[in-house]
């Protein structure tokens, strides 16, 4: 236990040291880096879009509408996961209020800067009367489940074409299955490990008690959100050209990889350009670069629209309830 307490103290000191770095607070440096990253990504996408005339694209609007519905379902699944997570920490926030916080915080990620979505979610949840320690714990645990769920689905859907049969004398297939099983066990065991840690180390979040089974339910809903977004992505590809169900795994892996890497690039608002470039890199060999660019750009439009429609729906519901 002393080692665990020492690790926590070291992480807190590391956080304070990182936050003290001067360049993090230099606005023009941040804007410059953001502009360079976005410009590089846009040039990469434009280079892959040169032969668009050869793609002969026809758009099936019915499939696009279905993709939009699946994306809205993913947004609502995320809202349900946030409500369950708050409940797991003993914060009985009403479903409508928790969902409103989630959908409106989603829009903040497009603001210039970084981590606005997290800051907006924290602010709105605090305004709803949830104590700061509980908000911090909920956000950390939700992010952990989001990342673990994406990693597990990505490992589960890893396309066979990306896994060589042998690398030297070592089979990668065995390692892949080990990763799938290991990530699933971590994802399932996280709520119980977190509950034990909060109980043993009360200074991490004083007066916060975690109900692991409810947090496990939140994790399952988050995985459902990943699946709905993957289905939205695959359906969007099918709107451009016929796809087999076997290619669902490729689209799921592409989505998970692009979203998780984009999530890590905090300095770019909404990971604009970064996510699309990764999609083209992975999907390009299977669909052709021009079609992969179109799918990537359409996915950004469809998913952004789903976030706007969800926020608009909650705004209308809120006004009608007055």
């Amino acid at each position: 236990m002393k080692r665990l307490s020492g690790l926590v103290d070291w992480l807190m000191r590391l956080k304070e040291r990182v936050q003290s770095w001067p360049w993090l607070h230099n606005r023009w440096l941040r804007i410059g880096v953001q502009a360079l990253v976005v410009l590089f990504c846009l040039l990469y996408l434009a280079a892959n879009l040169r032969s668009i005339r050869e793609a002969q694209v026809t758009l099936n609007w019915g499939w696009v509408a279905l993709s939009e519905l699946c994306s809205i379902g993913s947004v609502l699944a995320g809202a349900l996961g946030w409500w369950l997570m708050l409940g797991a920490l003993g914060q009985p926030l009403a479903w409508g209020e928790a969902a409103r916080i989630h959908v409106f915080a989603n829009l903040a990620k497009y603001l210039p800067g970084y981590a606005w979505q997290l800051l907006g979610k924290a602010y709105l949840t605090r305004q709803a009367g949830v104590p700061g320690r509980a908000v911090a714990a909920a956000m950390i645990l939700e992010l952990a489940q989001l990342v673990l769920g994406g990693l597990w689905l990505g490992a589960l859907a890893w396309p066979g074409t990306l896994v060589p049969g042998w690398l030297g004398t070592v089979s990668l297939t065995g390692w892949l299955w080990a990763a799938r099983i290991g990530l699933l066990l971590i994802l399932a065991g996280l709520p119980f490990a977190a509950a034990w840690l909060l109980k043993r180390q009360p200074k991490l979040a004083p007066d916060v008690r975690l109900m692991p089974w409810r947090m496990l339910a939140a994790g399952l809903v988050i995985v459902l959100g990943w699946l709905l977004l993957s289905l939205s992505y695959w359906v969007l590809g099918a709107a451009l050209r016929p796809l087999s169900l076997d290619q669902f795994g490729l689209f799921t892996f592409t989505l998970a990889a692009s979203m998780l890497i984009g999530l890590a690039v905090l300095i770019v608002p909404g990971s604009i350009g970064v996510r699309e470039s990764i999609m083209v890199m992975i999907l390009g060999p299977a669909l052709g670069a021009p079609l992969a660019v179109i799918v990537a750009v359409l996915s950004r439009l469809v998913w952004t629209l789903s976030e706007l429609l969800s926020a608009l729906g909650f705004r209308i519901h809120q006004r009608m309830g007055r």
Side-chain angles (χ1 to χ4, degrees):
M1 292 305 301
K2 290 183 179 180
R3 289 183 178 179
L4 182 59
S5 178
L7 176 61
V8 172
D9 292 337
W10 179 81
L11 289 174
M12 295 298 292
R13 289 195 301 270
L14 178 62
K15 174 190 172 186
E16 293 174 359
R17 185 176 301 176
V18 170
Q19 288 179 336
S20 67
W21 290 350
W23 65 271
L24 284 178
H25 305 283
N26 190 314
R27 177 186 177 189
W28 294 110
L29 179 60
R30 290 203 312 268
I31 293 175
V33 173
Q34 290 171 358
L36 285 175
V37 172
V38 173
L39 179 61
F40 174 80
C41 293
L42 291 178
L43 289 174
Y44 173 78
L45 294 173
N48 284 279
L49 198 58
R50 287 177 181 174
S51 55
I52 184 63
R53 295 178 182 177
E54 301 173 4
Q56 296 180 350
V57 176
T58 57
L59 194 60
N60 186 319
W61 289 102
W63 284 102
V64 173
L66 179 59
S67 175
E68 188 69 52
L69 288 175
C70 292
S71 181
I72 291 174
S74 177
V75 174
L76 295 179
L80 179 58
W82 180 240
W83 176 69
L84 288 170
M85 180 64 74
L86 290 174
L89 291 166
Q91 306 302 318
L93 203 63
W95 148 250
E97 182 65 13
R100 184 190 67 83
I101 289 170
H102 178 82
V103 297
F104 279 102
N106 271 346
L107 301 180
K109 63 174 173 280
Y110 297 107
L111 296 175
Y114 54 88
W116 284 115
Q117 181 180 7
L118 301 178
L119 293 174
K121 199 168 196 176
Y123 174 78
L124 291 174
T125 307
R126 285 278 287 146
Q127 288 292 103
V130 178
R133 295 280 186 174
V135 173
M139 294 184 67
I140 291 171
L141 294 174
E142 182 196 41
L143 181 61
Q145 287 188 320
L146 181 68
V147 172
L148 285 170
L151 288 173
W152 178 66
L153 277 180
L156 194 64
W158 189 302
T161 54
L162 297 181
V163 184
W166 292 89
L167 181 62
T169 58
V170 180
S171 173
L172 294 183
T173 305
W175 289 102
L176 184 58
W177 274 105
R180 290 167 176 168
I181 295 172
L183 286 168
L184 180 60
L185 291 176
I186 295 173
L187 183 61
L190 177 64
F192 304 95
W196 177 84
L197 181 62
L198 289 175
K199 185 176 180 181
R200 292 284 183 173
Q201 295 288 323
K203 69 175 183 178
L204 294 176
D207 302 323
V208 173
R209 294 293 179 270
L210 177 63
M211 292 178 276
W213 288 106
R214 185 151 184 170
M215 180 181 164
L216 182 61
L220 292 175
V221 172
I222 288 174
V223 172
L224 174 62
W226 273 109
L227 286 172
L228 286 171
L229 199 59
S230 300
L231 182 60
S232 170
Y233 191 40
W234 178 82
V235 168
L236 196 58
L240 294 170
R241 80 169 221 193
L243 296 176
S244 66
L245 193 58
D246 294 338
Q247 291 176 294
F248 180 71
L250 174 62
F251 276 77
T252 300
F253 172 79
T254 303
L255 172 77
S258 61
M259 295 290 279
L260 290 174
I261 295 174
L263 185 66
V265 186
L266 290 176
I267 198 168
V268 179
S271 64
I272 294 175
V274 177
R275 194 170 71 194
E276 290 77 12
S277 298
I278 296 168
M279 288 178 174
V280 174
M281 289 176 61
I282 301 174
L283 277 186
L287 301 183
L291 196 59
V293 173
I294 297 172
V295 172
V297 173
L298 279 178
S299 69
R300 171 70 68 173
L301 296 175
V302 167
W303 296 341
T304 302
L305 181 60
S306 71
E307 292 170 343
L308 289 171
L309 289 175
S310 299
L312 179 62
F314 274 96
R315 174 65 71 185
I316 293 173
H317 180 268
Q318 188 179 35
R319 292 199 172 187
M320 291 179 62
R322 290 177 180 175

